[in-house]
């Protein structure tokens, strides 16, 4: 069995996309958190997955059948990633943030991509819950994505072609 520090160091070397996952509560309030575990799961049917900590304040609003939005952040949006990664006291993470509703879900304009769908199921993942989402809407853009690796933000850069 490996120790926690070795596992954390190993996984910090895995480059991951940075997203802000959002939901709207029954009383219309926006909720969102930074998530760096978004992955494509299936093409037929179109499914994505991401994991939330069991203590996430967003998790109670994303039960099977609930709608969810995923803002795929662009390289220019690292401040948003940091803002939505923090735990807030009495205020909303959306305070001071430009956002709108799209398909009834909080949407961050100028993101590198957007997808929305419905939570199909939860899968136990230790201290996290893996959410499987059926994709109902998607909008890719050519914007450079924000990524996270070795505890810093970055973006994808193509390698030079060897001659």
């Amino acid at each position: 069995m490996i120790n926690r520090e070795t596992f954390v160091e190993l996984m910090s070397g895995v480059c991951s996309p940075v997203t802000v996952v959002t939901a709207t509560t029954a009383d219309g309030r926006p909720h969102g958190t930074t998530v760096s575990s978004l992955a494509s799961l299936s093409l037929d049917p179109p499914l994505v997955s991401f994991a939330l900590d069991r203590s996430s304040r967003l998790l109670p609003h994303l039960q099977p059948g609930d709608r969810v939005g995923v803002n795929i952040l662009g390289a220019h949006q690292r401040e948003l990633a940091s803002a939505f990664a923090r735990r807030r006291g009495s205020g909303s993470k959306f305070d001071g943030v430009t956002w709108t509703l799209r398909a009834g879900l909080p949407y961050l304009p100028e993101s590198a991509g957007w997808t929305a769908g419905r939570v199909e199921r939860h899968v136990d993942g230790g201290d996290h819950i893996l959410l499987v989402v059926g994709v109902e809407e998607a909008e890719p853009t050519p914007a450079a994505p924000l990524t996270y690796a070795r505890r810093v933000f970055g973006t994808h850069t193509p390698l030079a072609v060897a001659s």
Side-chain angles (χ1 to χ4, degrees):
M1 182 114 172
I2 65 167
N3 65 41
R4 180 184 174 96
E5 290 76 27
T6 300
F7 182 67
V8 168
E9 188 61 29
L10 172 73
M11 294 312 297
S12 79
V14 177
C15 188
S16 56
V18 181
T19 68
V20 172
V21 174
T22 61
T24 304
T25 61
D27 63 358
R29 289 181 300 141
H31 273 267
T33 194
T34 300
V35 171
S36 60
S37 58
L38 178 70
S40 174
L41 181 62
S42 167
L43 291 176
D44 188 19
L47 299 171
V48 296
S49 68
F50 60 86
L52 291 176
D53 188 289
R54 289 182 180 275
S55 67
S56 167
R57 294 181 182 183
L58 181 61
L59 187 57
H61 306 291
L62 293 178
Q63 297 303 303
D66 290 341
R67 293 194 30 84
V68 58
V70 180
N71 297 272
I72 301 167
L73 297 185
H76 62 287
Q77 293 178 305
R78 66 179 163 195
E79 292 81 15
L80 281 176
S82 296
F84 280 90
R86 295 186 190 103
R87 291 206 176 255
R88 293 281 175 141
S90 58
S92 167
K93 292 180 181 179
F94 287 86
D95 292 344
V97 171
T98 300
W99 67 281
T100 186
L101 283 176
R102 181 171 174 168
L105 296 163
Y107 169 72
L108 302 172
E110 301 180 17
S111 293
W114 160 260
T115 189
R118 198 166 298 279
V119 176
E120 291 201 357
R121 62 185 161 274
H122 289 178
V123 178
D124 181 29
D127 59 2
H128 280 63
I129 298 291
L130 184 71
L131 288 83
V132 176
V133 175
V135 175
E136 298 173 342
E137 182 178 331
E139 180 186 330
T141 76
L146 183 64
T147 60
Y148 191 73
R150 302 277 185 222
R151 299 175 187 85
V152 296
F153 292 114
T155 193
H156 175 72
T157 304
L159 296 173
V161 177
S163 54

